[in-house]
Amino acid sequence: MGEKTFHKASLIRDKAGYVPSLVEAVQFHGVRVTKNDALLKEISELYKSATLDELVQKSHLAARHLQEVGLMDNAVALIDTSPKSKEGYVVNFVVKEPKSFTAGVKAGVSTNGDADMSINAGKQSFAGRGESINTSYTYTVKGDHSFNISLAKPFLGWQKYSNVSSTLYRSMAYLPWNQANVDENALVLQYNGQLWRQRLLHSVKLNTIWRTLRATDDSAFAVREHAGHTLKFSVENSVAADTRDRPILASKGILARVSQEYAGIFGDASFLKHQIDLQAAAPLPFNFILAASVQAKSLKALGENEVHILDRCYLGGQQDIRGFGLNTIGVRADNSCIGGGASLAAVVHLYRPLYPPQMLFAHAFLASGSVASVRSRDPIQQLQDTQRVSAGLGLTFIFKNIFRLELNYTHPMKYVVGDSIFRGFHIGAGINFL
């Protein structure tokens, strides 16, 4: 028996671009419920590999895609030579399928800063083609609670990143900025895909929401006149370019997103809403990260009635203009904030990684924002005249790139008489932060 010859990895890597390859077989190890047709759609491109280098790259992409579309929890591609031919190769995927059923209970902090508890359960790839079903029930210490059930189905294929989903939910919450309660029953259908050779992210949503606004003894008349049942049917369209290295706290890259919402096909709501989101981040010397976010909204009624108070533009809170009460920036009526027809917000951040460096950051910020009335004849001028400004220092914690927690000392620097301002330490939690 002849002895095997071993070569340095760098030597093999340098020559891989010139070595012809012929994929003779692709095998999966660890598959129990995933369907064969789903696997074939995911790996068919491997058979078109002309060189070993191309085969290695495509095998890596296929393994990652199997996980990202929900077919597998873990996938590793191993490439071996074929005993049948000199140029032949066999690709082996060692995979771990999703658990048949997941369930859990967790405690946390809601967007409003209230403690909450949620019970969730789900099943991933339940039909063997990446489908998922998830349910959750959330309850806060102040009495808000919500229930939702969602279904999602990915479109499988080589490097396809698109899916359709449907969500049915019911929520009952108290809106402190309106001094009112709201009940919502909704069905949301959504498509997520890509445009322009996968350079742009595209999303379309169909919303059907039955809402009930219940005024309290503290509600202003401007809130009471919107009380009662309303039906909202709207279509949302969003196109975005995203080059950030991670979505929650990026160290480099940009996000540019333009979205529109149209309501008025049927139902009580009738408006057109435009929104622009811009984010950018860049590394600085000594491991500092400079980041900035800008968000602009414009809302116009299409019917004779004013836009409903639940559909208006709001600002304020630990996720945008920190140092101000949640959704309290803008036009006020007595002790209630009634939102506006346009808003503009901008935040500049300076981050410094601590330990662990990918999870904990020192954080300083400067934020500014304003809201114009739905009846304003010159919203741009009103946005300029009613700016609020705040600054602060604190800590930011990122959990597995899916959740962000901030503890900041905030100091409102510019505000309008009657604003709900908060100096001192405050907690912000969630996903979407300016």
Side-chain angles (χ1 to χ4, degrees):
M1 181 183 294
E3 295 184 357
K4 288 187 176 181
T5 302
F6 297 92
H7 302 278
K8 291 183 178 180
S10 58
L11 176 63
I12 297 175
R13 183 174 64 248
D14 292 340
K15 293 184 177 182
Y18 308 99
V19 176
S21 69
L22 176 64
V23 178
E24 295 189 356
V26 178
Q27 301 173 349
F28 285 84
H29 306 273
V31 173
R32 295 178 294 105
V33 298
T34 307
K35 305 300 182 182
N36 287 335
D37 62 308
L39 297 175
L40 286 173
K41 290 179 180 179
E42 290 294 303
I43 55 89
S44 59
E45 194 73 15
L46 298 183
Y47 289 97
K48 300 178 183 179
S49 302
T51 65
L52 178 58
D53 181 60
E54 186 179 357
L55 177 59
V56 171
Q57 293 184 24
K58 287 184 175 180
S59 298
H60 172 71
L61 288 175
R64 186 173 66 182
H65 196 257
L66 286 167
Q67 301 170 73
E68 291 174 338
V69 298
L71 282 173
M72 303 296 170
D73 264 352
N74 189 37
V76 177
L78 304 175
I79 301 175
D80 199 2
T81 56
S82 171
K84 298 180 181 180
S85 65
K86 185 177 180 180
E87 297 177 356
Y89 294 91
V90 177
V91 182
N92 294 280
F93 286 94
V94 180
V95 300
K96 180 182 179 182
E97 292 180 322
K99 294 180 180 179
S100 58
F101 180 79
T102 59
V105 178
K106 66 178 181 179
V109 180
S110 69
T111 302
N112 302 352
D114 302 328
D116 66 11
M117 183 187 73
S118 64
I119 302 172
N120 55 80
K123 187 173 177 61
Q124 308 300 311
S125 196
F126 60 85
R129 296 182 177 89
E131 308 89 342
S132 64
I133 180 170
N134 292 281
T135 62
S136 68
Y137 173 77
T138 302
Y139 180 84
T140 72
V141 294
K142 291 188 176 181
D144 300 348
H145 53 101
S146 63
F147 170 80
N148 78 73
I149 178 171
S150 61
L151 292 164
K153 172 71 173 74
F155 293 105
L156 301 178
W158 180 252
Q159 295 302 290
K160 278 189 176 181
Y161 287 92
S162 56
N163 64 70
V164 290
S165 64
S166 62
T167 302
L168 182 67
Y169 74 84
R170 173 172 172 78
S171 70
M172 286 161 276
Y174 174 68
L175 310 180
W177 56 92
N178 291 149
Q179 301 288 329
N181 294 290
V182 63
D183 299 345
E184 290 188 347
N185 300 275
L187 173 63
V188 179
L189 304 177
Q190 183 167 350
Y191 163 80
N192 296 307
Q194 295 181 324
L195 301 171
W196 196 27
R197 297 181 180 179
Q198 300 183 341
R199 296 178 183 177
L200 297 178
L201 306 175
H202 182 220
S203 174
V204 178
K205 291 174 64 176
L206 300 177
N207 306 299
T208 303
I209 309 176
W210 173 28
R211 310 174 296 190
T212 306
L213 184 68
R214 305 181 190 279
T216 66
D217 294 340
D218 298 325
S219 300
F221 178 78
V223 176
R224 292 176 180 273
E225 63 182 357
H226 291 272
H229 300 275
T230 56
L231 177 64
K232 171 184 172 181
F233 181 86
S234 71
V235 180
E236 295 183 56
N237 181 73
S238 174
V239 178
D242 192 352
T243 64
R244 298 172 299 173
D245 54 353
R246 64 177 182 177
I248 296 184
L249 196 160
S251 61
K252 61 180 179 180
I254 63 169
L255 166 69
R257 180 170 55 230
V258 178
S259 58
Q260 306 84 29
E261 182 179 9
Y262 168 70
I265 298 176
F266 62 84
D268 303 297
S270 183
F271 63 85
L272 182 62
K273 186 177 185 179
H274 298 276
Q275 181 171 330
I276 297 176
D277 292 276
L278 300 173
Q279 294 184 15
L284 297 177
F286 306 106
N287 291 329
F288 282 96
I289 299 170
L290 180 64
S293 300
V294 176
Q295 183 183 84
K297 296 180 183 179
S298 176
L299 184 64
K300 182 180 180 181
L302 298 180
E304 296 181 357
N305 297 328
E306 283 187 345
V307 178
H308 195 278
I309 196 171
L310 295 175
D311 298 314
R312 296 181 183 179
C313 302
Y314 291 89
L315 278 179
Q318 299 308 308
Q319 291 185 317
D320 46 55
I321 312 302
R322 299 151 177 86
F324 292 83
L326 180 65
N327 291 345
T328 59
I329 293 177
V331 181
R332 302 188 66 85
D334 297 332
N335 57 352
S336 301
C337 182
I338 58 175
S343 66
L344 180 63
V347 187
V348 178
H349 306 268
L350 186 64
Y351 299 102
R352 176 64 164 80
L354 300 175
Y355 184 82
Q358 295 299 317
M359 297 178 65
L360 187 62
F361 299 80
H363 176 211
F365 68 87
L366 179 66
S368 176
S370 55
V371 177
S373 168
V374 291
R375 301 175 182 174
S376 176
R377 295 184 177 180
D378 191 352
I380 295 179
Q381 185 63 47
Q382 187 176 358
L383 291 174
Q384 293 177 349
D385 295 340
T386 59
Q387 282 189 350
R388 279 77 163 178
V389 179
S390 67
L393 295 169
L395 296 173
T396 298
F397 177 77
I398 306 298
F399 179 72
K400 293 185 178 180
N401 287 329
I402 60 173
F403 183 78
R404 172 167 171 164
L405 180 68
E406 290 188 0
L407 174 61
N408 295 316
Y409 180 86
T410 59
H411 178 71
M413 302 169 61
K414 184 178 180 181
Y415 50 89
V416 176
V417 176
D419 278 348
S420 177
I421 61 174
F422 295 99
R423 291 186 178 90
F425 287 98
H426 299 281
I427 294 176
I431 299 175
N432 299 312
F433 282 78
L434 284 186

